[in-house]
Amino acid sequence: MPTITVDGNEIEVEAGLTVLQACEMAGAEIPRFCYHERLSIAGNCRMCLVELEKSAKPIASCAMPVAEGMVVHTNTPTVKKAREGVMEFLLINHPLDCPICDQGGECDLQDQAMAYGVDSSRYDENKRAVEEKYMGPLIKTIMTRCIHCTRCVRFSTEVAGVEEIGAIGRGEDMEITTYLEQAVNSELSGNVIDLCPVGALTSKPYAFSARPWELRKTESVDVMDAVGSAIRVDSRGREVMRVLPRLHEDVNEEWISDKARFACDGLNRQRLDRPYIRVDGKLKPASWDEAFNLITSKISAVGGEKIAAITGDQVCLESMKALKDLWSALESPHLDCRQDGTPLGGGRGTYLFNSTIAAANQTDAVLLVGANPRWEAPVLNARIRKAYLDRLIPIGAVGPQTDLTYPHEVFGAGAQTLEQIANGQHTFAEKLKAAERPMLILGQGALAGPDGKAAITLAARIADTNGMLREDWNGFNVLHTAASRVGGLDLGFIPADGGRDTKQILSGCRSGDIELVYLLGADDLPEAGDKADVFGEAFVVYQGSHGDSGAHFADVILPGAAYTEKHGLWVNTEGRVQEAKAASFPPGEAREDWKIIRALSSAIGKPLDYNTLAELRASLFDAHPHLAAIDDISPGDISSIRALGEQSVGQLSGDPFALPIKDYYLTNPIARASETMAECSALFAQRQSDGKVTGTHG
C-alpha cells in the first residue's frame, strides 16, 4: 500500500486510488464538478487541481493515481489561484440566473463559486447561449447553464445502460443532447437531476414549486417496488413536493427509480378522504360509525367461516398484523397477502432474495426465470449490469425476450426449459456449475402462472445441483414486485389449515361460500370485470388510500393513509426490515390503517389488545423477533430450499412465462393516480406503437 503525504500528514492508502480520494481520506476538501465516485473518470472540469511536488504544474487530482512517496498540497497560493481561474472560466458563459433557478440553494456551482471563486469578473464578451433540449416529461433542460461535466452522459451510458445522452460539437459549440431530441428511455433517468452540479437538468414536475429551505425533510423507504430504496420525502404542509434518494450502499447506493421519484404527485389525487357506503348501487358518504355498524352486522350474520381478507402490495407490517389478529379473533382461516396468486410460503429461504441486493455486484453467472428486473427492480438491474461490465459474466433468461440493458441469452419460454437445466440437459447448466457465485433470480412472471409451483420447485432444484446453496453463498433468489409481500409471508398472512388462498377466495365469493371479503389495499387482483364477475354477490369492504379498482368493487369504503402519511415497517425482497416515517398526514377523515382495524375490532366486539403504535410493535416483535432488527436481514434456511427442490414437479402445462408488468409506470394505485406517470405511460404506448420501445419486445 503506497504511503503519501497530504498537507504535511502522512497516510497509507490502497493502491489504485486517485489523489482526490487520498486527499479526502486525509481530511482535505477537494472541490469537483465532473468527478463522481460511481462513474468513470472524465477529468474535464479541472476544479480539483492540487499541487504535487516535482510536478511542473497543478494536477487534476481526480485523474491521477496515487504513487509511493507522493507529496500533495491542497491549500497553497498556487492551488488557490488555479481554482479561482477555473471558476472564472466556468462562469464566463454561465447565465448566473440563480434567483430563478430551481437548483438554487442546493447547487454545487453556487456553493463552490462562493467558496473558491472571486467576487468579480473580467469577461466583457457576449455570453454563449444554447437551445433547450427535449428529454421527456421528467427532465427539464436549460442547457445554457451546462458546464459540460458529462456526468449525465456517463450515468446514462454506464449505469442506466441507455446510450441516448451525449455531446455534439466541439469547443464553444459543444452541446449535451439526446441526439434525436426524444425522451430518455430509461427507468433511472431522473438520477441525472441529482448528478447535475448546476441547474441545467432539473425536475420538470417539480419546477418552480418550492425552495429547499421551505421543505420538511423526512427519511423513508420506497414502496413502488420490493427493493425498498432509501428515500427522503420533502413535504410542505400536507403536500409531498418531491422524493429524493438517500444513500444506502447495501440497497440502492444513491439511485432510485423514476417511479419512486416522480409518482409522488399521485399522493394528492383520487384520494379517499371519508368513509362511503353503497346504497341502491351508488356510493354515498357515511360516518365511521355507520360504516363500522354495517360491517359488524354483516360479519355477525355470516360468521368466521364465510369471511375472507386479502392484502395489497403496499401494506405495512403493522396493518397486516392488526388484520391478521382480528381475523384470528373471528376464527376465519381465509386470508392471503399474495393477491397475484403466487405459491409462496413455507421456509423463509424459499421466498427471499437470499444473495442480497448488494451481492448482485459479485455474481459471476445469472439465470433469470420469468423476470424483467429492468422494470421490476431498476436499481437491482443496474447492479447486474455493473457485474456484467466488470467481468462479462454469462447471463441467461427463461421467458419473453426483453432488453435488459446488457447482453443476455434467451432460451425457452417456460417450465420445460427449467426442467432441462435442472436435469443438466442444457448448456447453461454447465456455465452455472463453472461459476463461483452463480445466481438464480425467480420472478413473479414464472410464479403467478399455471406452472408456478413447478417453477419454484425446479428453480430450487437448479440451485441445489449447481452449487448455489453453500454456507458462504446462497444464490436462490425470489424477486418480488410487491413491497409488502415478504412482510406478509413473514407474518404468516396466508391461509391457515382449511383456509382459502386468493384464487379460492374469489371463486368462493362467486359460488356463495364466501359472503364477505375484506380488501386491505388490494387493487390488483388477477380477475377482471365488474363486481359480479369478480366477487359475485359477496359483500366487499375496501380499505385503502386511493379510489382505485378495489374501491370500485366496494360496498363499504374505509379511507386509509398512504405510505408517506404513517409510521410503518416494510420488509424488502431480500428480507431487510425497513422503517418509514410519516412525512405528512392523511386527508380529511382518513386514518392510519392499523388504527382503523383496531377501531373496527372494538365495534365488532373483539377488541385487539393494543391501543398505540408502540404496543402494536411490541406485540409484533414478540411474535416475530427478527422483525425488530431494523435495517437488518435475518437469513433464510438453506435446508428449506433443498427440501423444496425435492418435491414432485407434476404435469407441466407448457404455457410460456408471462412477465407481471405490462406498463412500468402504472403498477399501483399511487402511480395510476399520478399525472406524471400517466404522461410517461402515454409516451411509452406511443413508442410501443412506433416500434421504438426497448423495455420489452414481442
Side-chain angles (χ1 to χ4, degrees), residues 110-129:
Q110 193 177 55
D111 295 341
Q112 293 184 40
M114 293 294 294
Y116 302 101
V118 294
D119 60 356
S120 61
S121 173
R122 296 176 289 175
Y123 190 70
D124 293 327
E125 304 296 327
N126 292 328
K127 286 181 178 283
R128 166 182 181 263

mmCIF file with all atom_site columns, all heavy atoms in Angstrom, residues 110-129:
data_model
loop_
_atom_site.group_PDB
_atom_site.id
_atom_site.type_symbol
_atom_site.label_atom_id
_atom_site.label_alt_id
_atom_site.label_comp_id
_atom_site.label_asym_id
_atom_site.label_entity_id
_atom_site.label_seq_id
_atom_site.pdbx_PDB_ins_code
_atom_site.Cartn_x
_atom_site.Cartn_y
_atom_site.Cartn_z
_atom_site.occupancy
_atom_site.B_iso_or_equiv
_atom_site.pdbx_formal_charge
_atom_site.auth_seq_id
_atom_site.auth_comp_id
_atom_site.auth_asym_id
_atom_site.auth_atom_id
_atom_site.pdbx_PDB_model_num
ATOM 1   N N   . GLN A 1 110 ? -23.007 27.043 -7.382  1.00 0.00 ? 110 GLN A N   1
ATOM 2   C CA  . GLN A 1 110 ? -23.266 28.178 -6.497  1.00 0.00 ? 110 GLN A CA  1
ATOM 3   C C   . GLN A 1 110 ? -22.398 28.096 -5.241  1.00 0.00 ? 110 GLN A C   1
ATOM 4   O O   . GLN A 1 110 ? -21.743 29.069 -4.843  1.00 0.00 ? 110 GLN A O   1
ATOM 5   C CB  . GLN A 1 110 ? -24.748 28.169 -6.130  1.00 0.00 ? 110 GLN A CB  1
ATOM 6   C CG  . GLN A 1 110 ? -25.273 29.430 -5.481  1.00 0.00 ? 110 GLN A CG  1
ATOM 7   C CD  . GLN A 1 110 ? -26.766 29.327 -5.235  1.00 0.00 ? 110 GLN A CD  1
ATOM 8   O OE1 . GLN A 1 110 ? -27.226 28.379 -4.595  1.00 0.00 ? 110 GLN A OE1 1
ATOM 9   N NE2 . GLN A 1 110 ? -27.528 30.287 -5.728  1.00 0.00 ? 110 GLN A NE2 1
ATOM 10  N N   . ASP A 1 111 ? -22.378 26.917 -4.623  1.00 0.00 ? 111 ASP A N   1
ATOM 11  C CA  . ASP A 1 111 ? -21.615 26.744 -3.387  1.00 0.00 ? 111 ASP A CA  1
ATOM 12  C C   . ASP A 1 111 ? -20.118 26.898 -3.613  1.00 0.00 ? 111 ASP A C   1
ATOM 13  O O   . ASP A 1 111 ? -19.421 27.560 -2.830  1.00 0.00 ? 111 ASP A O   1
ATOM 14  C CB  . ASP A 1 111 ? -21.900 25.364 -2.787  1.00 0.00 ? 111 ASP A CB  1
ATOM 15  C CG  . ASP A 1 111 ? -23.350 25.213 -2.340  1.00 0.00 ? 111 ASP A CG  1
ATOM 16  O OD1 . ASP A 1 111 ? -24.012 26.247 -2.164  1.00 0.00 ? 111 ASP A OD1 1
ATOM 17  O OD2 . ASP A 1 111 ? -23.799 24.065 -2.182  1.00 0.00 ? 111 ASP A OD2 1
ATOM 18  N N   . GLN A 1 112 ? -19.619 26.290 -4.686  1.00 0.00 ? 112 GLN A N   1
ATOM 19  C CA  . GLN A 1 112 ? -18.176 26.328 -4.913  1.00 0.00 ? 112 GLN A CA  1
ATOM 20  C C   . GLN A 1 112 ? -17.718 27.677 -5.448  1.00 0.00 ? 112 GLN A C   1
ATOM 21  O O   . GLN A 1 112 ? -16.565 28.072 -5.245  1.00 0.00 ? 112 GLN A O   1
ATOM 22  C CB  . GLN A 1 112 ? -17.773 25.191 -5.845  1.00 0.00 ? 112 GLN A CB  1
ATOM 23  C CG  . GLN A 1 112 ? -17.971 23.829 -5.185  1.00 0.00 ? 112 GLN A CG  1
ATOM 24  C CD  . GLN A 1 112 ? -17.485 22.681 -6.041  1.00 0.00 ? 112 GLN A CD  1
ATOM 25  O OE1 . GLN A 1 112 ? -16.448 22.771 -6.690  1.00 0.00 ? 112 GLN A OE1 1
ATOM 26  N NE2 . GLN A 1 112 ? -18.229 21.572 -6.033  1.00 0.00 ? 112 GLN A NE2 1
ATOM 27  N N   . ALA A 1 113 ? -18.606 28.395 -6.135  1.00 0.00 ? 113 ALA A N   1
ATOM 28  C CA  . ALA A 1 113 ? -18.250 29.755 -6.553  1.00 0.00 ? 113 ALA A CA  1
ATOM 29  C C   . ALA A 1 113 ? -18.066 30.647 -5.332  1.00 0.00 ? 113 ALA A C   1
ATOM 30  O O   . ALA A 1 113 ? -17.182 31.516 -5.302  1.00 0.00 ? 113 ALA A O   1
ATOM 31  C CB  . ALA A 1 113 ? -19.329 30.325 -7.471  1.00 0.00 ? 113 ALA A CB  1
ATOM 32  N N   . MET A 1 114 ? -18.892 30.422 -4.302  1.00 0.00 ? 114 MET A N   1
ATOM 33  C CA  . MET A 1 114 ? -18.734 31.200 -3.072  1.00 0.00 ? 114 MET A CA  1
ATOM 34  C C   . MET A 1 114 ? -17.462 30.809 -2.328  1.00 0.00 ? 114 MET A C   1
ATOM 35  O O   . MET A 1 114 ? -16.781 31.661 -1.750  1.00 0.00 ? 114 MET A O   1
ATOM 36  C CB  . MET A 1 114 ? -19.952 30.964 -2.166  1.00 0.00 ? 114 MET A CB  1
ATOM 37  C CG  . MET A 1 114 ? -21.254 31.518 -2.706  1.00 0.00 ? 114 MET A CG  1
ATOM 38  S SD  . MET A 1 114 ? -21.263 33.314 -2.808  1.00 0.00 ? 114 MET A SD  1
ATOM 39  C CE  . MET A 1 114 ? -21.182 33.760 -1.084  1.00 0.00 ? 114 MET A CE  1
ATOM 40  N N   . ALA A 1 115 ? -17.137 29.516 -2.339  1.00 0.00 ? 115 ALA A N   1
ATOM 41  C CA  . ALA A 1 115 ? -16.006 29.036 -1.544  1.00 0.00 ? 115 ALA A CA  1
ATOM 42  C C   . ALA A 1 115 ? -14.669 29.214 -2.248  1.00 0.00 ? 115 ALA A C   1
ATOM 43  O O   . ALA A 1 115 ? -13.651 29.483 -1.597  1.00 0.00 ? 115 ALA A O   1
ATOM 44  C CB  . ALA A 1 115 ? -16.214 27.566 -1.192  1.00 0.00 ? 115 ALA A CB  1
ATOM 45  N N   . TYR A 1 116 ? -14.647 29.069 -3.565  1.00 0.00 ? 116 TYR A N   1
ATOM 46  C CA  . TYR A 1 116 ? -13.364 29.020 -4.276  1.00 0.00 ? 116 TYR A CA  1
ATOM 47  C C   . TYR A 1 116 ? -13.238 30.064 -5.386  1.00 0.00 ? 116 TYR A C   1
ATOM 48  O O   . TYR A 1 116 ? -12.208 30.133 -6.051  1.00 0.00 ? 116 TYR A O   1
ATOM 49  C CB  . TYR A 1 116 ? -13.161 27.626 -4.893  1.00 0.00 ? 116 TYR A CB  1
ATOM 50  C CG  . TYR A 1 116 ? -13.192 26.519 -3.883  1.00 0.00 ? 116 TYR A CG  1
ATOM 51  C CD1 . TYR A 1 116 ? -14.329 25.735 -3.717  1.00 0.00 ? 116 TYR A CD1 1
ATOM 52  C CD2 . TYR A 1 116 ? -12.094 26.265 -3.059  1.00 0.00 ? 116 TYR A CD2 1
ATOM 53  C CE1 . TYR A 1 116 ? -14.374 24.718 -2.781  1.00 0.00 ? 116 TYR A CE1 1
ATOM 54  C CE2 . TYR A 1 116 ? -12.129 25.253 -2.122  1.00 0.00 ? 116 TYR A CE2 1
ATOM 55  C CZ  . TYR A 1 116 ? -13.267 24.485 -1.984  1.00 0.00 ? 116 TYR A CZ  1
ATOM 56  O OH  . TYR A 1 116 ? -13.299 23.481 -1.050  1.00 0.00 ? 116 TYR A OH  1
ATOM 57  N N   . GLY A 1 117 ? -14.285 30.847 -5.613  1.00 0.00 ? 117 GLY A N   1
ATOM 58  C CA  . GLY A 1 117 ? -14.240 31.823 -6.693  1.00 0.00 ? 117 GLY A CA  1
ATOM 59  C C   . GLY A 1 117 ? -13.815 33.204 -6.214  1.00 0.00 ? 117 GLY A C   1
ATOM 60  O O   . GLY A 1 117 ? -13.384 33.389 -5.075  1.00 0.00 ? 117 GLY A O   1
ATOM 61  N N   . VAL A 1 118 ? -13.955 34.175 -7.090  1.00 0.00 ? 118 VAL A N   1
ATOM 62  C CA  . VAL A 1 118 ? -13.638 35.572 -6.765  1.00 0.00 ? 118 VAL A CA  1
ATOM 63  C C   . VAL A 1 118 ? -14.905 36.397 -6.902  1.00 0.00 ? 118 VAL A C   1
ATOM 64  O O   . VAL A 1 118 ? -15.917 35.938 -7.446  1.00 0.00 ? 118 VAL A O   1
ATOM 65  C CB  . VAL A 1 118 ? -12.533 36.126 -7.685  1.00 0.00 ? 118 VAL A CB  1
ATOM 66  C CG1 . VAL A 1 118 ? -11.221 35.413 -7.426  1.00 0.00 ? 118 VAL A CG1 1
ATOM 67  C CG2 . VAL A 1 118 ? -12.923 35.978 -9.153  1.00 0.00 ? 118 VAL A CG2 1
ATOM 68  N N   . ASP A 1 119 ? -14.863 37.644 -6.439  1.00 0.00 ? 119 ASP A N   1
ATOM 69  C CA  . ASP A 1 119 ? -16.078 38.451 -6.366  1.00 0.00 ? 119 ASP A CA  1
ATOM 70  C C   . ASP A 1 119 ? -16.262 39.378 -7.563  1.00 0.00 ? 119 ASP A C   1
ATOM 71  O O   . ASP A 1 119 ? -17.033 40.324 -7.503  1.00 0.00 ? 119 ASP A O   1
ATOM 72  C CB  . ASP A 1 119 ? -16.080 39.271 -5.067  1.00 0.00 ? 119 ASP A CB  1
ATOM 73  C CG  . ASP A 1 119 ? -14.883 40.215 -4.974  1.00 0.00 ? 119 ASP A CG  1
ATOM 74  O OD1 . ASP A 1 119 ? -14.030 40.163 -5.871  1.00 0.00 ? 119 ASP A OD1 1
ATOM 75  O OD2 . ASP A 1 119 ? -14.817 40.979 -3.999  1.00 0.00 ? 119 ASP A OD2 1
ATOM 76  N N   . SER A 1 120 ? -15.537 39.129 -8.651  1.00 0.00 ? 120 SER A N   1
ATOM 77  C CA  . SER A 1 120 ? -15.684 39.995 -9.825  1.00 0.00 ? 120 SER A CA  1
ATOM 78  C C   . SER A 1 120 ? -15.380 39.192 -11.074 1.00 0.00 ? 120 SER A C   1
ATOM 79  O O   . SER A 1 120 ? -14.849 38.085 -11.001 1.00 0.00 ? 120 SER A O   1
ATOM 80  C CB  . SER A 1 120 ? -14.744 41.200 -9.727  1.00 0.00 ? 120 SER A CB  1
ATOM 81  O OG  . SER A 1 120 ? -13.389 40.759 -9.675  1.00 0.00 ? 120 SER A OG  1
ATOM 82  N N   . SER A 1 121 ? -15.733 39.735 -12.215 1.00 0.00 ? 121 SER A N   1
ATOM 83  C CA  . SER A 1 121 ? -15.484 39.071 -13.490 1.00 0.00 ? 121 SER A CA  1
ATOM 84  C C   . SER A 1 121 ? -14.747 40.019 -14.422 1.00 0.00 ? 121 SER A C   1
ATOM 85  O O   . SER A 1 121 ? -15.016 41.220 -14.438 1.00 0.00 ? 121 SER A O   1
ATOM 86  C CB  . SER A 1 121 ? -16.810 38.637 -14.120 1.00 0.00 ? 121 SER A CB  1
ATOM 87  O OG  . SER A 1 121 ? -16.598 38.132 -15.421 1.00 0.00 ? 121 SER A OG  1
ATOM 88  N N   . ARG A 1 122 ? -13.834 39.467 -15.188 1.00 0.00 ? 122 ARG A N   1
ATOM 89  C CA  . ARG A 1 122 ? -13.089 40.274 -16.166 1.00 0.00 ? 122 ARG A CA  1
ATOM 90  C C   . ARG A 1 122 ? -13.586 40.042 -17.583 1.00 0.00 ? 122 ARG A C   1
ATOM 91  O O   . ARG A 1 122 ? -12.992 40.510 -18.536 1.00 0.00 ? 122 ARG A O   1
ATOM 92  C CB  . ARG A 1 122 ? -11.600 39.909 -16.092 1.00 0.00 ? 122 ARG A CB  1
ATOM 93  C CG  . ARG A 1 122 ? -10.964 40.244 -14.750 1.00 0.00 ? 122 ARG A CG  1
ATOM 94  C CD  . ARG A 1 122 ? -9.523  39.784 -14.692 1.00 0.00 ? 122 ARG A CD  1
ATOM 95  N NE  . ARG A 1 122 ? -9.426  38.329 -14.621 1.00 0.00 ? 122 ARG A NE  1
ATOM 96  C CZ  . ARG A 1 122 ? -8.267  37.663 -14.649 1.00 0.00 ? 122 ARG A CZ  1
ATOM 97  N NH1 . ARG A 1 122 ? -7.130  38.326 -14.763 1.00 0.00 ? 122 ARG A NH1 1
ATOM 98  N NH2 . ARG A 1 122 ? -8.265  36.344 -14.562 1.00 0.00 ? 122 ARG A NH2 1
ATOM 99  N N   . TYR A 1 123 ? -14.684 39.325 -17.723 1.00 0.00 ? 123 TYR A N   1
ATOM 100 C CA  . TYR A 1 123 ? -15.153 38.922 -19.049 1.00 0.00 ? 123 TYR A CA  1
ATOM 101 C C   . TYR A 1 123 ? -16.152 39.948 -19.572 1.00 0.00 ? 123 TYR A C   1
ATOM 102 O O   . TYR A 1 123 ? -17.131 40.275 -18.903 1.00 0.00 ? 123 TYR A O   1
ATOM 103 C CB  . TYR A 1 123 ? -15.814 37.543 -18.957 1.00 0.00 ? 123 TYR A CB  1
ATOM 104 C CG  . TYR A 1 123 ? -16.114 36.916 -20.285 1.00 0.00 ? 123 TYR A CG  1
ATOM 105 C CD1 . TYR A 1 123 ? -15.093 36.451 -21.106 1.00 0.00 ? 123 TYR A CD1 1
ATOM 106 C CD2 . TYR A 1 123 ? -17.425 36.777 -20.721 1.00 0.00 ? 123 TYR A CD2 1
ATOM 107 C CE1 . TYR A 1 123 ? -15.370 35.859 -22.319 1.00 0.00 ? 123 TYR A CE1 1
ATOM 108 C CE2 . TYR A 1 123 ? -17.713 36.183 -21.937 1.00 0.00 ? 123 TYR A CE2 1
ATOM 109 C CZ  . TYR A 1 123 ? -16.678 35.725 -22.732 1.00 0.00 ? 123 TYR A CZ  1
ATOM 110 O OH  . TYR A 1 123 ? -16.957 35.135 -23.937 1.00 0.00 ? 123 TYR A OH  1
ATOM 111 N N   . ASP A 1 124 ? -15.909 40.467 -20.778 1.00 0.00 ? 124 ASP A N   1
ATOM 112 C CA  . ASP A 1 124 ? -16.755 41.519 -21.352 1.00 0.00 ? 124 ASP A CA  1
ATOM 113 C C   . ASP A 1 124 ? -17.489 41.088 -22.612 1.00 0.00 ? 124 ASP A C   1
ATOM 114 O O   . ASP A 1 124 ? -18.307 41.846 -23.130 1.00 0.00 ? 124 ASP A O   1
ATOM 115 C CB  . ASP A 1 124 ? -15.904 42.751 -21.698 1.00 0.00 ? 124 ASP A CB  1
ATOM 116 C CG  . ASP A 1 124 ? -15.348 43.421 -20.454 1.00 0.00 ? 124 ASP A CG  1
ATOM 117 O OD1 . ASP A 1 124 ? -16.042 43.380 -19.419 1.00 0.00 ? 124 ASP A OD1 1
ATOM 118 O OD2 . ASP A 1 124 ? -14.237 43.970 -20.515 1.00 0.00 ? 124 ASP A OD2 1
ATOM 119 N N   . GLU A 1 125 ? -17.204 39.887 -23.132 1.00 0.00 ? 125 GLU A N   1
ATOM 120 C CA  . GLU A 1 125 ? -17.837 39.450 -24.386 1.00 0.00 ? 125 GLU A CA  1
ATOM 121 C C   . GLU A 1 125 ? -19.266 38.965 -24.121 1.00 0.00 ? 125 GLU A C   1
ATOM 122 O O   . GLU A 1 125 ? -19.685 38.769 -22.990 1.00 0.00 ? 125 GLU A O   1
ATOM 123 C CB  . GLU A 1 125 ? -17.015 38.314 -25.012 1.00 0.00 ? 125 GLU A CB  1
ATOM 124 C CG  . GLU A 1 125 ? -15.556 38.656 -25.259 1.00 0.00 ? 125 GLU A CG  1
ATOM 125 C CD  . GLU A 1 125 ? -15.387 39.766 -26.281 1.00 0.00 ? 125 GLU A CD  1
ATOM 126 O OE1 . GLU A 1 125 ? -16.230 39.832 -27.200 1.00 0.00 ? 125 GLU A OE1 1
ATOM 127 O OE2 . GLU A 1 125 ? -14.446 40.563 -26.141 1.00 0.00 ? 125 GLU A OE2 1
ATOM 128 N N   . ASN A 1 126 ? -19.997 38.761 -25.198 1.00 0.00 ? 126 ASN A N   1
ATOM 129 C CA  . ASN A 1 126 ? -21.347 38.217 -25.070 1.00 0.00 ? 126 ASN A CA  1
ATOM 130 C C   . ASN A 1 126 ? -21.284 36.770 -24.588 1.00 0.00 ? 126 ASN A C   1
ATOM 131 O O   . ASN A 1 126 ? -20.399 36.013 -24.984 1.00 0.00 ? 126 ASN A O   1
ATOM 132 C CB  . ASN A 1 126 ? -22.081 38.264 -26.411 1.00 0.00 ? 126 ASN A CB  1
ATOM 133 C CG  . ASN A 1 126 ? -22.370 39.691 -26.840 1.00 0.00 ? 126 ASN A CG  1
ATOM 134 O OD1 . ASN A 1 126 ? -22.588 40.556 -25.999 1.00 0.00 ? 126 ASN A OD1 1
ATOM 135 N ND2 . ASN A 1 126 ? -22.373 39.936 -28.141 1.00 0.00 ? 126 ASN A ND2 1
ATOM 136 N N   . LYS A 1 127 ? -22.248 36.387 -23.763 1.00 0.00 ? 127 LYS A N   1
ATOM 137 C CA  . LYS A 1 127 ? -22.291 35.015 -23.258 1.00 0.00 ? 127 LYS A CA  1
ATOM 138 C C   . LYS A 1 127 ? -22.855 34.074 -24.315 1.00 0.00 ? 127 LYS A C   1
ATOM 139 O O   . LYS A 1 127 ? -23.684 34.453 -25.134 1.00 0.00 ? 127 LYS A O   1
ATOM 140 C CB  . LYS A 1 127 ? -23.146 34.937 -21.987 1.00 0.00 ? 127 LYS A CB  1
ATOM 141 C CG  . LYS A 1 127 ? -22.474 35.526 -20.754 1.00 0.00 ? 127 LYS A CG  1
ATOM 142 C CD  . LYS A 1 127 ? -23.377 35.388 -19.543 1.00 0.00 ? 127 LYS A CD  1
ATOM 143 C CE  . LYS A 1 127 ? -22.708 35.935 -18.289 1.00 0.00 ? 127 LYS A CE  1
ATOM 144 N NZ  . LYS A 1 127 ? -21.712 35.016 -17.754 1.00 0.00 ? 127 LYS A NZ  1
ATOM 145 N N   . ARG A 1 128 ? -22.403 32.834 -24.249 1.00 0.00 ? 128 ARG A N   1
ATOM 146 C CA  . ARG A 1 128 ? -22.884 31.789 -25.146 1.00 0.00 ? 128 ARG A CA  1
ATOM 147 C C   . ARG A 1 128 ? -24.280 31.360 -24.725 1.00 0.00 ? 128 ARG A C   1
ATOM 148 O O   . ARG A 1 128 ? -24.596 31.289 -23.549 1.00 0.00 ? 128 ARG A O   1
ATOM 149 C CB  . ARG A 1 128 ? -21.904 30.621 -25.061 1.00 0.00 ? 128 ARG A CB  1
ATOM 150 C CG  . ARG A 1 128 ? -22.327 29.304 -25.642 1.00 0.00 ? 128 ARG A CG  1
ATOM 151 C CD  . ARG A 1 128 ? -21.182 28.320 -25.383 1.00 0.00 ? 128 ARG A CD  1
ATOM 152 N NE  . ARG A 1 128 ? -21.465 26.992 -25.930 1.00 0.00 ? 128 ARG A NE  1
ATOM 153 C CZ  . ARG A 1 128 ? -21.958 25.981 -25.239 1.00 0.00 ? 128 ARG A CZ  1
ATOM 154 N NH1 . ARG A 1 128 ? -22.260 26.161 -23.968 1.00 0.00 ? 128 ARG A NH1 1
ATOM 155 N NH2 . ARG A 1 128 ? -22.162 24.815 -25.804 1.00 0.00 ? 128 ARG A NH2 1
ATOM 156 N N   . ALA A 1 129 ? -25.135 31.073 -25.684 1.00 0.00 ? 129 ALA A N   1
ATOM 157 C CA  . ALA A 1 129 ? -26.480 30.579 -25.389 1.00 0.00 ? 129 ALA A CA  1
ATOM 158 C C   . ALA A 1 129 ? -26.710 29.277 -26.145 1.00 0.00 ? 129 ALA A C   1
ATOM 159 O O   . ALA A 1 129 ? -26.213 29.089 -27.254 1.00 0.00 ? 129 ALA A O   1
ATOM 160 C CB  . ALA A 1 129 ? -27.537 31.614 -25.772 1.00 0.00 ? 129 ALA A CB  1
#
